[in-house]
Amino acid sequence: MRRVASLILVLVLAACTTIALHRFDQLYGPADPRRFDQPLAPPPGESYAQTIQPILDRRCVACHACYDAPCQLKATAWEGLARGASKTPVYDATRLLAAQPTRLFVDAQKPSEWRELGFFPVLNEHAPTPEANRAAGLMHRLLMQKEKHPLPTSGIVGGGLDFSIDREAMCPAGAQIDEYERKMPLGGMPFGLPGLSPAELGVLSRWIERGAPYEGPAPVTPLALQRIAMWERFFNGDTPKERLFSRYAFEHLFLAHLYFDDDPERQYFRMVRSTTPPGQPVALIASRRPVDDPGVERFYYRLVPERETIVAKTHMPYALGATRMARWRSLFLDAPYTVDRLPGYSADTAANPFATFAALPVDARYRFMLDEAEYTIMGFIKGPVCRGQMALDVIDDRFWVTFLSPSVGDHREQADLLARDANLLRLPTGSSNEQVITPWLHYAKLENEYLRVKSEFLARGLGGPQNLDLRLVWDGDGRNPNAALTVFRHFDSASVVKGLVGEPPKTAWVIGYPLLERIHYLLVANYDVFGNIGHQLNSRLYMDFLRMEGEFNFLVLLPQAQRIATRDYWYRADSASTREQVYGGPSTTLPIDSGIRYRTADARLELLGMLKTRLAPVLAKDFELDRAPAVWRAPLRALGEVRGASLEWLPEDAALVVEAPGAAPATFSLLRNTGHASVSQLIGERRELRPDENTLTLVPGIIGAYPNAFYRVSPAQLPAMTEALRGLKSEADYAAFSERYAVRRTNPDFWSVSDGLVERYRRDQPLQAGILDLNRFENR
């Protein structure tokens, strides 16, 4: 009887939904899904790009961008609004089969094609009248709902609104908006934030009433057209050597926001594959991943303009110029080697870049990645996803990254090793549909065998302690600041910046070529956000191995007598077998002492200091507190030195605005580094937290794309804020702290503070800046 009742309920709900969807048909005629296939031209003198998109950038893009946009609605381009929304979430860690990709500008080109993929309109597709454009346009309805039901002007947001990151999205389609308005009166847009100003709302309302006109994308500048032609010639040579290098470049640059270093306008482009050659319109090859078969024998690498607003969470800038081209010619095209045949695009090939690119010199590949190491690491930090907790819960909240020197050792011997043992380096992400556990067990065996071979290779190559010293660490060739990086984890997002930021961290990685390449192919080139549970889970499990390899390379620089103790400190919550996977097991022991002379009992801390000294000539200083006004530095340092359990009430990533009379506001990032006993646990991470080990990092500028809170203080308030932070013991304490220092969602000044942050971000960090994401903004 329960099953029958449930079935009846489902049928009734389905019938109600169908009735609701057809009510607009009755009022305004049948919808035409092709209405926006050809946009309406704006009236003379008006421009979507100059009047509408800037408002969307300030008020809508903060939530509606990338794959984690609620209901997949993207406000980063007119085409995103015309595409509409979907009830199907992109993030689904339980799906048994890979999902249909839904990438804007890739998987469909017209709104009518998106309708066939299950997207519903947010702009009116019924009769093109002003009344219908208002009443049947979901975008207008949601904007007006906020106008009718504004938020309170203080305290937290109530009304049943859910702000948790894993909340179920409410995606009313068609006339379902009527029921949504009744049930969620405070759910107008912007969701859980103050409404638009009367001027902004008036501009958007008039635009919607006129049928959402759009003049099309901006033309490419003459200078950029010249540079595109030059680079497309470079990437589309006919010789096997040129074609193999271009494939390697594409599989590493496909996510980059490419720009020309001599272009003052800094327009961004993406590298894509096309069935058409340079000089003809691009015919995009829409493969799921860059490593997948293009489906044609001859294709071409093309540069296309980035048509979406730049958002910080996906912005990965990469410069192209004459120096870069000369560098790549020297490394790959003029070097004395031959390419006898081009590799294919099978799943086996995708899983093993070492076999695929075996003909390219190892040194050239490593130098390619090292030259822009921040970008390379940023690939897995920002990568092809916007919500990365499955990949990011394998890393500590803050650690330093350095690299093995490419000028040390015999690269011909390393190339032989990689060629001989390439099968050991296969990755468990050959396809978007993978089994769950069985493949991982197989790859675990391959990893252990590789580690054994690697340890033997190191022992043979090093010979003795005299060669195991700081010379193994890349010094950036004395000029490259990419030699030293700091990674911050903010729970399910992360950031990477140049420099060794903050106090010495608990852990550090030293990365060599095989490890760097595998990180990229596991979590960037091979990763499919639309993949099934096996694909996603195997990526997460295998990343444990890669973290451990980076830590192994750091540990072997310590005295043998301290390696095990340091390892055990990092992995306090884990079994002996897990700890031995890092160092000290049958495959992970290096029986050679360090050649570094240590003078203290804490070699780990001493080594971190030595690394900072060695890399001092190239260390980036962008996030040093010395950039702050001198009179602020002492109280800011005191705030950044708060430690311990009180910090567990603080959000992961907060923006601190300091406002002094007669001075321009200044932005600082306040980052909580959560203490962990270990980060190798797949589930139950909270059980391994160590609140007494929590720390803060306070730096000038913006680090992190997802601020959880805005704080606003005067310099005189900093000491009191510091003491209040030290005294937090409960959620009630934090509520009082927030009432005093935070700019909450309900604050009438919210948008002016947010706009000021983004404006200073663009001014002070112009290359890195993009729209900040507010999907994770707290309501406390």
Side-chain angles (χ1 to χ4, degrees), residues 418-443:
L418 290 174
R420 185 174 67 252
D421 298 308
N423 187 59
L424 301 179
L425 298 173
R426 287 172 50 83
L427 299 169
T429 49
S431 74
S432 298
N433 285 300
E434 294 282 357
Q435 297 178 10
V436 178
I437 296 298
T438 304
W440 180 79
L441 295 175
H442 170 69
Y443 286 101

mmCIF file of all heavy atoms in Angstrom, residues 418-443:
data_model
loop_
_atom_site.group_PDB
_atom_site.id
_atom_site.type_symbol
_atom_site.label_atom_id
_atom_site.label_comp_id
_atom_site.label_asym_id
_atom_site.label_seq_id
_atom_site.Cartn_x
_atom_site.Cartn_y
_atom_site.Cartn_z
ATOM 1 N N LEU A 418 62.092 6.356 -17.174
ATOM 2 C CA LEU A 418 60.682 6.598 -17.470
ATOM 3 C C LEU A 418 60.206 5.750 -18.639
ATOM 4 O O LEU A 418 59.084 5.241 -18.629
ATOM 5 C CB LEU A 418 60.464 8.084 -17.773
ATOM 6 C CG LEU A 418 60.611 9.036 -16.584
ATOM 7 C CD1 LEU A 418 60.506 10.482 -17.051
ATOM 8 C CD2 LEU A 418 59.558 8.748 -15.540
ATOM 9 N N ALA A 419 61.044 5.604 -19.649
ATOM 10 C CA ALA A 419 60.660 4.783 -20.793
ATOM 11 C C ALA A 419 60.539 3.316 -20.404
ATOM 12 O O ALA A 419 59.608 2.612 -20.820
ATOM 13 C CB ALA A 419 61.684 4.956 -21.919
ATOM 14 N N ARG A 420 61.463 2.850 -19.578
ATOM 15 C CA ARG A 420 61.466 1.443 -19.192
ATOM 16 C C ARG A 420 60.318 1.111 -18.244
ATOM 17 O O ARG A 420 59.719 0.033 -18.323
ATOM 18 C CB ARG A 420 62.808 1.118 -18.533
ATOM 19 C CG ARG A 420 62.976 -0.362 -18.194
ATOM 20 C CD ARG A 420 64.381 -0.641 -17.686
ATOM 21 N NE ARG A 420 64.657 -0.021 -16.401
ATOM 22 C CZ ARG A 420 65.457 1.029 -16.231
ATOM 23 N NH1 ARG A 420 66.065 1.588 -17.251
ATOM 24 N NH2 ARG A 420 65.672 1.528 -15.015
ATOM 25 N N ASP A 421 60.009 2.042 -17.343
ATOM 26 C CA ASP A 421 59.007 1.770 -16.315
ATOM 27 C C ASP A 421 57.763 2.636 -16.482
ATOM 28 O O ASP A 421 57.063 2.916 -15.516
ATOM 29 C CB ASP A 421 59.607 1.995 -14.928
ATOM 30 C CG ASP A 421 60.779 1.053 -14.662
ATOM 31 O OD1 ASP A 421 60.605 -0.152 -14.840
ATOM 32 O OD2 ASP A 421 61.855 1.553 -14.290
ATOM 33 N N ALA A 422 57.480 3.061 -17.710
ATOM 34 C CA ALA A 422 56.335 3.938 -17.934
ATOM 35 C C ALA A 422 55.039 3.294 -17.495
ATOM 36 O O ALA A 422 54.133 3.978 -17.005
ATOM 37 C CB ALA A 422 56.258 4.321 -19.418
ATOM 38 N N ASN A 423 54.920 1.991 -17.636
ATOM 39 C CA ASN A 423 53.676 1.334 -17.253
ATOM 40 C C ASN A 423 53.398 1.477 -15.758
ATOM 41 O O ASN A 423 52.249 1.474 -15.320
ATOM 42 C CB ASN A 423 53.721 -0.149 -17.624
ATOM 43 C CG ASN A 423 52.386 -0.828 -17.404
ATOM 44 O OD1 ASN A 423 51.381 -0.435 -17.976
ATOM 45 N ND2 ASN A 423 52.371 -1.845 -16.549
ATOM 46 N N LEU A 424 54.467 1.627 -14.957
ATOM 47 C CA LEU A 424 54.278 1.796 -13.515
ATOM 48 C C LEU A 424 53.654 3.137 -13.187
ATOM 49 O O LEU A 424 53.085 3.323 -12.099
ATOM 50 C CB LEU A 424 55.619 1.664 -12.788
ATOM 51 C CG LEU A 424 56.373 0.346 -12.971
ATOM 52 C CD1 LEU A 424 57.692 0.405 -12.210
ATOM 53 C CD2 LEU A 424 55.527 -0.832 -12.501
ATOM 54 N N LEU A 425 53.761 4.104 -14.105
ATOM 55 C CA LEU A 425 53.260 5.451 -13.863
ATOM 56 C C LEU A 425 51.889 5.684 -14.486
ATOM 57 O O LEU A 425 51.415 6.820 -14.539
ATOM 58 C CB LEU A 425 54.255 6.477 -14.418
ATOM 59 C CG LEU A 425 55.646 6.443 -13.775
ATOM 60 C CD1 LEU A 425 56.585 7.373 -14.503
ATOM 61 C CD2 LEU A 425 55.562 6.817 -12.310
ATOM 62 N N ARG A 426 51.234 4.628 -14.941
ATOM 63 C CA ARG A 426 49.887 4.755 -15.487
ATOM 64 C C ARG A 426 48.951 5.328 -14.425
ATOM 65 O O ARG A 426 49.059 5.021 -13.245
ATOM 66 C CB ARG A 426 49.351 3.396 -15.945
ATOM 67 C CG ARG A 426 49.991 2.866 -17.211
ATOM 68 C CD ARG A 426 49.542 1.433 -17.468
ATOM 69 N NE ARG A 426 48.089 1.312 -17.388
ATOM 70 C CZ ARG A 426 47.257 1.605 -18.394
ATOM 71 N NH1 ARG A 426 47.756 2.038 -19.532
ATOM 72 N NH2 ARG A 426 45.963 1.456 -18.257
ATOM 73 N N LEU A 427 48.000 6.145 -14.868
ATOM 74 C CA LEU A 427 47.043 6.781 -13.968
ATOM 75 C C LEU A 427 45.692 6.094 -14.054
ATOM 76 O O LEU A 427 45.311 5.591 -15.119
ATOM 77 C CB LEU A 427 46.903 8.267 -14.320
ATOM 78 C CG LEU A 427 48.192 9.082 -14.195
ATOM 79 C CD1 LEU A 427 48.020 10.454 -14.824
ATOM 80 C CD2 LEU A 427 48.589 9.214 -12.737
ATOM 81 N N PRO A 428 44.927 6.086 -12.958
ATOM 82 C CA PRO A 428 43.642 5.373 -12.939
ATOM 83 C C PRO A 428 42.497 6.201 -13.506
ATOM 84 O O PRO A 428 41.354 6.081 -13.055
ATOM 85 C CB PRO A 428 43.437 5.118 -11.444
ATOM 86 C CG PRO A 428 44.055 6.287 -10.787
ATOM 87 C CD PRO A 428 45.268 6.629 -11.629
ATOM 88 N N THR A 429 42.784 7.074 -14.472
ATOM 89 C CA THR A 429 41.758 7.947 -15.028
ATOM 90 C C THR A 429 41.803 7.924 -16.547
ATOM 91 O O THR A 429 41.755 8.965 -17.204
ATOM 92 C CB THR A 429 41.954 9.385 -14.516
ATOM 93 O OG1 THR A 429 43.335 9.767 -14.684
ATOM 94 C CG2 THR A 429 41.583 9.510 -13.045
ATOM 95 N N GLY A 430 41.890 6.730 -17.094
ATOM 96 C CA GLY A 430 41.954 6.614 -18.542
ATOM 97 C C GLY A 430 40.662 6.970 -19.230
ATOM 98 O O GLY A 430 40.651 7.338 -20.400
ATOM 99 N N SER A 431 39.524 6.865 -18.513
ATOM 100 C CA SER A 431 38.232 7.194 -19.100
ATOM 101 C C SER A 431 37.365 7.871 -18.043
ATOM 102 O O SER A 431 37.722 7.939 -16.865
ATOM 103 C CB SER A 431 37.531 5.942 -19.626
ATOM 104 O OG SER A 431 37.025 5.167 -18.557
ATOM 105 N N SER A 432 36.200 8.364 -18.481
ATOM 106 C CA SER A 432 35.265 9.034 -17.569
ATOM 107 C C SER A 432 34.399 8.049 -16.813
ATOM 108 O O SER A 432 33.712 8.432 -15.858
ATOM 109 C CB SER A 432 34.377 10.010 -18.352
ATOM 110 O OG SER A 432 35.160 11.012 -18.959
ATOM 111 N N ASN A 433 34.390 6.791 -17.231
ATOM 112 C CA ASN A 433 33.663 5.732 -16.540
ATOM 113 C C ASN A 433 34.670 4.709 -16.038
ATOM 114 O O ASN A 433 35.312 4.022 -16.829
ATOM 115 C CB ASN A 433 32.652 5.055 -17.471
ATOM 116 C CG ASN A 433 31.427 5.907 -17.718
ATOM 117 O OD1 ASN A 433 30.708 6.247 -16.778
ATOM 118 N ND2 ASN A 433 31.191 6.266 -18.968
ATOM 119 N N GLU A 434 34.834 4.640 -14.722
ATOM 120 C CA GLU A 434 35.799 3.720 -14.137
ATOM 121 C C GLU A 434 35.134 2.892 -13.046
ATOM 122 O O GLU A 434 34.167 3.331 -12.406
ATOM 123 C CB GLU A 434 36.977 4.490 -13.515
ATOM 124 C CG GLU A 434 37.846 5.241 -14.518
ATOM 125 C CD GLU A 434 38.804 4.339 -15.267
ATOM 126 O OE1 GLU A 434 38.843 3.115 -14.968
ATOM 127 O OE2 GLU A 434 39.511 4.842 -16.152
ATOM 128 N N GLN A 435 35.649 1.682 -12.821
ATOM 129 C CA GLN A 435 35.207 0.900 -11.677
ATOM 130 C C GLN A 435 35.724 1.562 -10.399
ATOM 131 O O GLN A 435 36.602 2.419 -10.436
ATOM 132 C CB GLN A 435 35.720 -0.532 -11.785
ATOM 133 C CG GLN A 435 35.185 -1.282 -12.988
ATOM 134 C CD GLN A 435 35.757 -2.679 -13.084
ATOM 135 O OE1 GLN A 435 36.410 -3.160 -12.162
ATOM 136 N NE2 GLN A 435 35.522 -3.327 -14.208
ATOM 137 N N VAL A 436 35.182 1.155 -9.269
ATOM 138 C CA VAL A 436 35.459 1.891 -8.046
ATOM 139 C C VAL A 436 36.711 1.414 -7.326
ATOM 140 O O VAL A 436 37.677 2.153 -7.170
ATOM 141 C CB VAL A 436 34.248 1.844 -7.090
ATOM 142 C CG1 VAL A 436 34.564 2.582 -5.803
ATOM 143 C CG2 VAL A 436 33.039 2.471 -7.765
ATOM 144 N N ILE A 437 36.772 0.181 -6.873
ATOM 145 C CA ILE A 437 37.854 -0.249 -5.995
ATOM 146 C C ILE A 437 38.909 -1.089 -6.710
ATOM 147 O O ILE A 437 40.110 -0.888 -6.533
ATOM 148 C CB ILE A 437 37.294 -1.030 -4.790
ATOM 149 C CG1 ILE A 437 36.414 -0.096 -3.952
ATOM 150 C CG2 ILE A 437 38.407 -1.607 -3.944
ATOM 151 C CD1 ILE A 437 37.160 1.088 -3.363
ATOM 152 N N THR A 438 38.474 -2.027 -7.537
ATOM 153 C CA THR A 438 39.425 -2.954 -8.165
ATOM 154 C C THR A 438 40.555 -2.245 -8.900
ATOM 155 O O THR A 438 41.728 -2.584 -8.713
ATOM 156 C CB THR A 438 38.693 -3.918 -9.111
ATOM 157 O OG1 THR A 438 37.670 -4.595 -8.376
ATOM 158 C CG2 THR A 438 39.657 -4.921 -9.704
ATOM 159 N N PRO A 439 40.274 -1.211 -9.742
ATOM 160 C CA PRO A 439 41.388 -0.531 -10.422
ATOM 161 C C PRO A 439 42.360 0.122 -9.453
ATOM 162 O O PRO A 439 43.566 0.098 -9.659
ATOM 163 C CB PRO A 439 40.667 0.520 -11.277
ATOM 164 C CG PRO A 439 39.294 0.007 -11.451
ATOM 165 C CD PRO A 439 38.973 -0.699 -10.170
ATOM 166 N N TRP A 440 41.834 0.697 -8.366
ATOM 167 C CA TRP A 440 42.712 1.386 -7.428
ATOM 168 C C TRP A 440 43.699 0.408 -6.800
ATOM 169 O O TRP A 440 44.869 0.720 -6.602
ATOM 170 C CB TRP A 440 41.887 2.086 -6.350
ATOM 171 C CG TRP A 440 42.754 2.795 -5.367
ATOM 172 C CD1 TRP A 440 43.366 4.008 -5.522
ATOM 173 C CD2 TRP A 440 43.157 2.316 -4.083
ATOM 174 N NE1 TRP A 440 44.115 4.318 -4.415
ATOM 175 C CE2 TRP A 440 44.003 3.300 -3.502
ATOM 176 C CE3 TRP A 440 42.890 1.167 -3.350
ATOM 177 C CZ2 TRP A 440 44.570 3.152 -2.247
ATOM 178 C CZ3 TRP A 440 43.451 1.023 -2.091
ATOM 179 C CH2 TRP A 440 44.278 2.005 -1.560
ATOM 180 N N LEU A 441 43.240 -0.787 -6.455
ATOM 181 C CA LEU A 441 44.140 -1.787 -5.873
ATOM 182 C C LEU A 441 45.249 -2.139 -6.858
ATOM 183 O O LEU A 441 46.406 -2.320 -6.479
ATOM 184 C CB LEU A 441 43.345 -3.034 -5.485
ATOM 185 C CG LEU A 441 42.301 -2.828 -4.374
ATOM 186 C CD1 LEU A 441 41.494 -4.115 -4.172
ATOM 187 C CD2 LEU A 441 42.967 -2.408 -3.070
ATOM 188 N N HIS A 442 44.870 -2.225 -8.140
ATOM 189 C CA HIS A 442 45.871 -2.508 -9.171
ATOM 190 C C HIS A 442 46.893 -1.381 -9.258
ATOM 191 O O HIS A 442 48.118 -1.619 -9.303
ATOM 192 C CB HIS A 442 45.165 -2.695 -10.518
ATOM 193 C CG HIS A 442 46.098 -2.747 -11.693
ATOM 194 N ND1 HIS A 442 46.969 -3.795 -11.908
ATOM 195 C CD2 HIS A 442 46.300 -1.865 -12.706
ATOM 196 C CE1 HIS A 442 47.671 -3.573 -13.004
ATOM 197 N NE2 HIS A 442 47.281 -2.405 -13.512
ATOM 198 N N TYR A 443 46.397 -0.126 -9.241
ATOM 199 C CA TYR A 443 47.307 1.006 -9.362
ATOM 200 C C TYR A 443 48.137 1.198 -8.103
ATOM 201 O O TYR A 443 49.250 1.729 -8.160
ATOM 202 C CB TYR A 443 46.527 2.273 -9.719
ATOM 203 C CG TYR A 443 46.075 2.263 -11.163
ATOM 204 C CD1 TYR A 443 44.762 1.943 -11.501
ATOM 205 C CD2 TYR A 443 46.972 2.529 -12.188
ATOM 206 C CE1 TYR A 443 44.352 1.913 -12.819
ATOM 207 C CE2 TYR A 443 46.573 2.501 -13.519
ATOM 208 C CZ TYR A 443 45.262 2.185 -13.834
ATOM 209 O OH TYR A 443 44.874 2.136 -15.140
#
